[in-house]
């Protein structure tokens, strides 16, 4: 008997159609407490669509989603309170300073005014934003904007953090810091992250779910997986495609 | 409720972070002040001197207020689209709308927050316009009732304009498209009024549908509750359409 209590996300039978085209086809996403789940797949596999459905930005054509036992479709406001989301493009206002923006985000998540300052300070510290807190977001580099995006996702201490390609545009030092941050957060939150960088998955994820053409083709822990790259290419192209590619190289 | 206020507050401040809102207020105020000055000049030099001994002459309130407020209304027909265009279209373009749609907020809260921020701008603008006739009160006696009616009328008219702008901005992906369609729609309302009053083809219905028809009685100092109801229905209607559009985004993607 599976214990459903420690499931932070339980999304079963998710499907999404755009008109006739099926982008996500009967995908199950389950996330347990203290787990970092990596969502992989080639471009157009349905990763972002799945994440949009999990965060309530897109309603699934079929299937049900429960966040921390709260049904996302029935009680979206309560469910979203449990969730932090960083989309592909960090949703930052370029005309605000980092501190103004994070305070605004905190108030949007119903954090009481008295606690805002503490929460903002904590999130900026974790994402290394203290030195830039008075600067306009529009004047920051892409890496810092990305960090502001991560800071707003973890600001209200949500049970689930969903990050869509969080390390894009970061320098190697920042990538290492963000990975460490994700590992740390993974201890007491549940994290889903999508990425194209396979070593990153091996560095931070406990479990990997690979999507291809809207279907789950792999869903397992990384124990005993020698080369994720090989697994990935095998699943996407079939074994012979990998062989021919190696010849070509 | 507090979330609506937080959104309205931040959106209002962001409006004034760009030079757009400042320059609009400055330019429109300058033009209106010039016209007001011309009007006062004409009244004190010509109308007043001709009115000596005559009966039933328009006072300064009756002469200036409808003129000033309907000029302001015509200018805002062009300017309101510039204020409302960025509300949703800019967020769509910069992909920042996700911040609001994935926060624990209902679409109603998002729409009302955005709408209140524009309403703040409308109140500020009407307040600045009203200062001009109020300045006459230092030297003459004003018809305060007429001024109050005209202020209320202009607020309602611009609130209705803003509701249209908000809705069309929620449909558009680019602010310019939102501005052009809003301007087109507001112009259509004006054309409805004109064609409703045209000789030969006058139509009560067209005049009734047009937002301007209901404004003019306010500007003349008459408060008619049916006009008030017209504006409230107009505003609520477009706000509901905007909320439905956001709901639909979630379904259609």
């Amino acid at each position: 008997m599976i214990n459903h209590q420690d499931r932070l996300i339980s999304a079963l039978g998710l499907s999404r159609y755009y008109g006739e085209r099926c982008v996500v086809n009967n995908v199950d996403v389950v996330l347990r407490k203290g787990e970092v789940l990596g969502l992989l797949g080639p471009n157009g596999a349905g990763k972002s669509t799945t994440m949009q459905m999990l965060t309530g930005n897109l309603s699934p054509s079929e299937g049900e989603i429960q966040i921390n036992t709260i049904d996302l479709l029935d009680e979206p406001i309560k469910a979203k309170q449990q969730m932090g989301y960083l989309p592909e493009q960090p949703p930052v206002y370029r005309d605000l300073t980092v501190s103004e923006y994070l305070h605004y985000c905190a108030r949007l998540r119903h954090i009481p005014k008295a606690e805002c300052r503490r929460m903002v300070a904590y999130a900026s510290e974790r994402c290394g934003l203290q030195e830039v807190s008075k600067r306009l977001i529009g004047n920051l580099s892409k890496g810092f904007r990305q960090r502001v995006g991560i800071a707003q996702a973890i600001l209200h201490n949500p049970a689930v953090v969903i990050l869509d390609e969080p390390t894009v545009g970061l320098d190697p030092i920042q990538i290492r810091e963000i990975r460490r941050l994700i590992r740390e957060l993974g201890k007491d939150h549940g994290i889903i992250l999508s990425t194209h960088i396979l070593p990153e998955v091996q560095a931070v994820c406990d479990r990997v779910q690979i999507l291809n053409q809207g279907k789950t083709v792999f869903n397992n822990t990384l124990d005993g997986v020698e080369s994720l790259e090989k697994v990935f290419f095998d699943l996407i192209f079939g074994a012979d495609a990998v062989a021919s590619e190696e010849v070509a190289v | 409720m507090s979330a609506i206020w937080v959104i309205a507050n931040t959106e209002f401040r962001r409006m004034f972070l760009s030079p757009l809102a400042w320059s609009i207020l400055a330019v429109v105020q300058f033009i209106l002040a010039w016209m007001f000055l011309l009007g006062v000049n004409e009244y004190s030099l010509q109308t007043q001197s001709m009115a000596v001994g005559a009966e039933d002459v328009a006072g300064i309130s009756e002469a200036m207020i409808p003129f000033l407020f309907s000029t302001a209304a015509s200018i805002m027909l062009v300017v309101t689209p510039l204020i409302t265009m960025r509300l949703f279209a800019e967020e769509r373009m910069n992909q920042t709308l996700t911040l609001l749609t994935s926060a624990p907020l209902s679409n109603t809260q998002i729409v009302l927050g955005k709408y209140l921020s524009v309403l703040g701008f409308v109140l500020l603008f009407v307040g600045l316009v009203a200062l001009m006739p109020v300045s006459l009160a230092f030297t003459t006696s004003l018809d305060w009732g007429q001024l109050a009616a005209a202020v209320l009328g202009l607020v309602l008219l611009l609130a209705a304009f803003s509701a249209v702008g908000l809705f069309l901005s929620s449909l558009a992906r680019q602010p310019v498209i939102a501005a052009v369609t809003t301007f087109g729609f507001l112009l259509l309302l004006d054309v409805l009024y004109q064609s409703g009053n045209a000789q030969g083809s006058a139509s009560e219905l067209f005049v009734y549908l047009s937002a301007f028809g209901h404004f003019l009685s306010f500007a003349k100092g008459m408060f008619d509750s049916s006009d008030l109801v017209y504006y409230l229905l107009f505003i609520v209607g477009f706000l509901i359409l905007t909320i439905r559009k956001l709901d639909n985004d979630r379904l259609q993607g």
Side-chain angles (χ1 to χ4, degrees), chain B residues 2-57:
Chain B
S2 78
I4 298 177
W5 189 243
V6 169
I7 298 176
N9 202 356
T10 306
E11 288 288 326
F12 184 74
R13 277 196 307 130
R14 284 186 60 217
M15 204 183 289
F16 284 93
L17 289 178
S18 81
L20 183 69
W22 293 103
S23 45
I24 284 176
L25 281 179
V27 169
V28 175
Q29 186 78 355
F30 179 76
I31 294 170
L32 285 176
W34 194 294
M35 300 191 82
F36 181 69
L37 189 65
L38 284 180
V40 172
N41 197 38
E42 192 182 302
Y43 186 85
S44 58
L45 291 181
Q46 293 180 7
T47 317
Q48 232 170 10
S49 57
M50 287 196 299
V52 174
E55 273 176 37
D56 218 11
V57 173

Side-chain angles (χ1 to χ4, degrees), chain B residues 220-234:
Chain B
K220 285 181 191 128
M222 186 165 74
F223 175 84
D224 186 341
S225 52
S226 72
D227 291 334
L228 180 72
V229 170
Y230 167 87
Y231 282 120
L232 293 182
L233 285 177
F234 191 102

Side-chain angles (χ1 to χ4, degrees), chain B residues 40 85 92 98 124 129 152 154 156 158-159 204 207 214 225:
Chain B
V40 172
M85 66 179 182
R92 278 241 170 73
T98 344
L124 184 66
V129 172
L152 179 66
L154 189 59
L156 287 172
L158 298 185
E204 289 275 319
V207 174
H214 300 268
S225 52

Side-chain angles (χ1 to χ4, degrees), chain A residues 78-248:
Chain A
K78 255 175 94 183
K80 283 176 181 178
Q81 183 75 44
Q82 309 280 330
M83 201 155 43
Y85 176 41
L86 170 71
E88 259 174 299
Q89 195 81 35
V92 293
Y93 295 127
R94 286 156 172 262
D95 44 10
L96 296 181
T97 67
V98 173
S99 156
E100 281 172 338
Y101 172 75
L102 290 178
H103 271 99
Y104 179 48
C105 294
R107 302 286 290 137
L108 287 181
R109 277 71 176 269
H110 307 303
I111 296 175
K113 213 168 189 173
E115 274 184 56
C116 273
R117 187 185 292 269
R118 195 175 58 76
M119 302 290 258
V120 169
Y122 181 68
S124 339
E125 191 202 313
R126 288 199 100 163
C127 299
L129 291 168
Q130 296 107 316
E131 304 105 82
V132 296
S133 70
K134 291 279 175 287
R135 284 178 57 188
L136 284 181
I137 296 178
N139 295 342
L140 296 177
S141 67
K142 172 127 178 36
F144 269 112
R145 278 211 284 276
Q146 193 73 23
R147 290 207 238 174
V148 175
I150 297 172
Q152 64 81 22
I154 63 169
L155 187 62
H156 51 303
N157 202 11
V160 182
V161 181
I162 298 183
L163 306 168
D164 201 344
E165 303 192 14
T167 54
V168 168
L170 300 182
D171 67 39
I173 304 163
Q174 290 174 333
I175 289 183
R176 204 177 57 185
E177 282 172 16
I178 293 300
R179 284 183 189 167
R180 198 171 59 213
L181 174 65
I182 292 172
R183 281 252 57 111
E184 258 176 55
L185 289 170
K187 283 175 196 154
D188 35 29
H189 304 255
I191 295 184
I192 298 185
L193 95 146
S194 92
T195 176
H196 286 296
I197 311 164
L198 296 176
E200 182 163 292
V201 177
Q202 277 178 312
V204 297
C205 295
D206 303 307
R207 191 158 60 84
V208 176
Q209 184 162 2
I210 300 177
L211 298 181
N212 189 28
Q213 296 178 343
K215 290 185 188 143
T216 306
V217 289
F218 180 88
N219 184 4
N220 212 334
T221 55
L222 282 172
D223 302 337
V225 175
E226 255 177 54
S227 159
L228 184 61
E229 201 163 347
K230 188 171 183 309
V231 172
F232 185 79
F233 284 116
D234 282 358
L235 288 163
I236 306 298
F237 297 114
D240 37 51
V242 177
S244 65
E245 193 162 277
E246 274 165 354
V247 171

